[in-house]
Amino acid sequence: MIAIAAVLADIVLILTHRVRASPESAKYTPWPYMAVGLAGCAAGWLAIGRPDTAWDDLFLTLICGVVVTSEAAHAARTLSGRTWAGWATAFVSGAAAATWLLPDPLPFT
C-alpha cells in the first residue's frame, strides 16, 4: 500500500510538472537522482527487514524506485525551486518503492 501511494504521488507530481513546464524545457541528466533513488531502495529494503526478493518484485521495485522516482525528483526540484526537494523526493520515493518486496500489503500494522 505504501508503494502504491508513493507511485501515485510521483505520477501526480510528474503530470503537474508536465502541465506547468514550458515547451522549451532544458535537458537534464537524471543519473544523480537515479543513484539517490537506488540508495533509497536499498535503505528501504534494510528498513523493512531485508525480505527475500523475487525477480518480478525486484523489477517492479527498481522501475518505481529508480526510473519513476528520478522523473518525480526532477519535477519536485523544478516546481519548488529548491534543490533539496529533488533529493528528498528521490530518496523517500526510492525507500517507499522497496515495500513492493513485502509479502503483506500493510507492513507496519
Side-chain angles (χ1 to χ4, degrees):
M1 292 298 249
I2 294 171
I4 293 170
V7 167
L8 289 176
D10 286 347
I11 290 172
V12 167
L13 187 62
I14 292 167
L15 291 176
T16 303
H17 175 255
R18 296 284 171 109
V19 168
R20 296 178 116 200
S22 65
E24 56 192 45
S25 62
K27 290 193 172 216
Y28 75 100
T29 305
W31 297 112
Y33 290 136
M34 286 183 169
V36 172
L38 186 61
C41 286
W45 179 71
L46 290 172
I48 61 174
R50 298 182 320 195
D52 294 333
T53 58
W55 282 110
D56 54 345
D57 295 336
L58 185 62
F59 178 74
L60 186 60
T61 300
L62 291 177
I63 290 297
C64 292
V66 177
V67 177
V68 174
T69 292
S70 68
E71 185 68 27
H74 173 68
R77 185 195 180 288
T78 304
L79 290 174
S80 71
R82 296 181 173 96
T83 57
W84 64 266
W87 299 114
T89 301
F91 189 79
V92 171
S93 293
T99 61
W100 284 113
L101 300 172
L102 288 172
D104 299 327
L106 293 174
F108 302 111
T109 58

